[in-house]
């Protein structure tokens, strides 16, 4: 199977103002992908766009909120107008912050589903017909290791990411006959604002994991996309835990709770 080629492709990246989304933008620019960046913070988008352009990349910014249908439609319309199509759709927008389920408001739970799941389905609904007409496309959805494994204080966040993973798994089978690929990146702990700004709420067990740099997660994504992998993991310990969980679930749970002192 030939490796996926990035050069000359056109991409939309949501959540592109910081963290992994911004990291993907920088790498796509280096790979000569024309990019539309979107997020709520226009000043941060301008900063990321400047970095991409400084590296020779082509980038357009279209500020917007993924939870607003009209903003999603505007981003896709702008992409089609400015770039003439869309080859890669990266759904990377996210909201987080660990919390015990009993302390979490219903609004927060709904926000997780809105931003992580429903926003991605909105974008997919708009770009899939375009990709079908083109005869190819690539959708990348940003899940989490918490979509694969259960962690304390990540009940709502993990559930929304698990919904996105299962959506992606079903959709890839529908779209395969049309030349459209789907990958889901399930990052572990990555040095992003989502992790840094809420570190005190994670719990002592989280400190036993290695925190990766954004560039490590992005490198894993690019490698996985080139090979057409569906689930993409970014750390050896997560790969080991996922394998143990899949094949020896009861043993994994006992070992995990003992090793990380989770009660």
């Amino acid at each position: 199977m030939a490796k996926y080629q990035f050069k000359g492709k056109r991409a939309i990246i949501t959540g592109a103002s910081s963290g992994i989304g911004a990291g993907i933008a920088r790498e796509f620019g280096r790979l000569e992908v024309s990019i539309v960046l979107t997020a709520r913070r226009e000043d941060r988008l301008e900063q990321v766009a400047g970095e991409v352009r400084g590296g020779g990349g082509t980038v357009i910014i279209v500020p917007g909120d993924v939870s607003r249908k009209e903003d999603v439609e505007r981003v896709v319309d702008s992409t089609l107008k400015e770039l003439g199509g869309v080859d890669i759709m990266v759904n990377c927008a996210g909201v987080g912050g660990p919390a015990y389920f009993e302390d979490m408001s219903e609004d927060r739970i709904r926000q997780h589903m809105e931003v992580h799941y429903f926003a991605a389905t909105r974008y997919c609904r708009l770009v899939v017909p375009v990709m079908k007409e083109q005869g190819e496309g690539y959708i990348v959805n940003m899940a989490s290791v918490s979509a694969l494994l259960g962690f304390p204080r990540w009940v709502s966040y993990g559930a929304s990411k698990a919904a996105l993973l299962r959506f992606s798994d079903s959709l890839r089978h529908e779209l395969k006959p049309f030349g459209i690929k789907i990958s889901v990146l399930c990052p572990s702990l990555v040095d992003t604002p989502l992790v840094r700004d809420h570190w005190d709420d994670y719990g002592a067990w989280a400190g036993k994991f290695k925190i990766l740099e954004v560039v490590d997660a992005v490198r894993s994504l690019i490698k996985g996309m080139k090979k057409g992998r569906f689930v993409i993991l970014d750390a050896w310990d997560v790969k080991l835990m996922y394998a143990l969980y899949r094949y020896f679930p009861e043993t994994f749970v006992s070992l995990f709770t003992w090793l990380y002192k989770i009660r």
Side-chain angles (χ1 to χ4, degrees):
M1 180 184 296
K3 290 186 177 180
Y4 185 75
Q5 300 298 315
F6 289 87
K7 185 176 180 179
K9 295 296 195 297
R10 302 155 296 184
I12 298 172
I13 305 175
T14 72
S17 59
S18 65
I20 296 176
I24 294 172
R26 298 184 191 100
E27 184 62 15
F28 274 11
R30 190 185 68 80
L31 293 170
E32 299 183 56
V33 177
S34 299
I35 320 162
V36 170
L37 305 180
T38 184
R40 291 176 298 175
R41 297 174 293 180
E42 186 171 0
D43 59 331
R44 296 296 297 273
L45 285 175
E46 290 285 6
Q47 181 180 341
V48 175
E51 295 171 1
V52 174
R53 293 182 184 120
T58 300
V59 59
I60 300 165
I61 67 167
V62 185
D65 186 335
V66 296
S67 65
R68 293 171 57 88
K69 181 180 178 181
E70 56 269 32
D71 285 6
V72 173
E73 292 173 345
R74 179 166 50 80
V75 170
V76 175
D77 288 345
S78 297
T79 303
L80 299 180
K81 179 180 178 181
E82 298 294 332
L83 301 181
V86 55
D87 303 296
I88 307 173
M89 178 70 235
V90 181
N91 288 301
C92 196
V95 293
Y100 286 112
F101 176 67
E102 294 171 88
D103 298 332
M104 185 171 290
S105 68
E106 184 173 337
D107 287 343
R108 186 60 161 176
I109 294 171
R110 291 183 180 278
Q111 185 186 38
H112 280 148
M113 290 300 297
E114 183 64 49
V115 173
H116 298 153
Y117 177 69
F118 288 114
T121 65
R122 287 192 191 96
Y123 269 105
C124 288
R125 190 181 294 277
L126 292 175
V127 302
V128 163
V130 177
M131 292 178 174
K132 280 186 175 181
E133 187 174 346
Q134 294 171 173
E136 65 173 350
Y138 210 134
I139 296 170
V140 175
N141 289 328
M142 187 64 55
S144 164
V145 64
S146 63
L148 305 171
L149 307 167
F151 296 93
R153 307 189 194 187
W154 289 94
V155 175
S156 175
Y157 182 94
S160 66
K161 293 295 191 177
L164 180 61
L165 176 61
R166 192 54 52 218
F167 163 77
S168 303
D169 195 9
S170 296
L171 187 62
R172 67 174 172 142
H173 298 301
E174 290 188 14
L175 299 182
K176 185 176 180 179
F178 302 98
I180 302 173
K181 303 176 184 295
I182 296 183
S183 288
V184 181
L185 179 63
C186 295
S188 52
L189 288 176
V190 181
D191 188 13
T192 66
L194 180 64
V195 172
R196 288 193 305 270
D197 295 350
H198 303 279
W199 185 250
D200 290 342
D201 298 322
Y202 272 69
W205 62 270
K208 298 181 181 181
F209 285 85
K210 179 182 178 181
I211 300 179
L212 300 181
E213 297 297 326
V214 168
V215 66
D216 296 321
V218 174
R219 188 180 296 119
S220 296
L221 172 64
I222 298 301
K223 183 178 179 180
M225 289 180 68
K226 286 181 176 179
K227 295 182 178 181
R229 289 177 178 163
F230 174 56
V231 173
I232 300 174
L233 304 176
D234 61 1
W236 71 267
D237 54 349
V238 171
K239 294 176 183 178
L240 177 60
M241 286 193 297
Y242 184 44
L244 286 173
Y245 180 74
R246 289 179 65 188
Y247 298 110
F248 308 100
E250 292 185 7
T251 300
F252 166 78
V253 171
S254 297
L255 180 63
F256 182 74
T257 54
W258 171 79
L259 186 62
Y260 294 101
K261 303 297 186 293
I262 295 175
R263 294 290 184 265

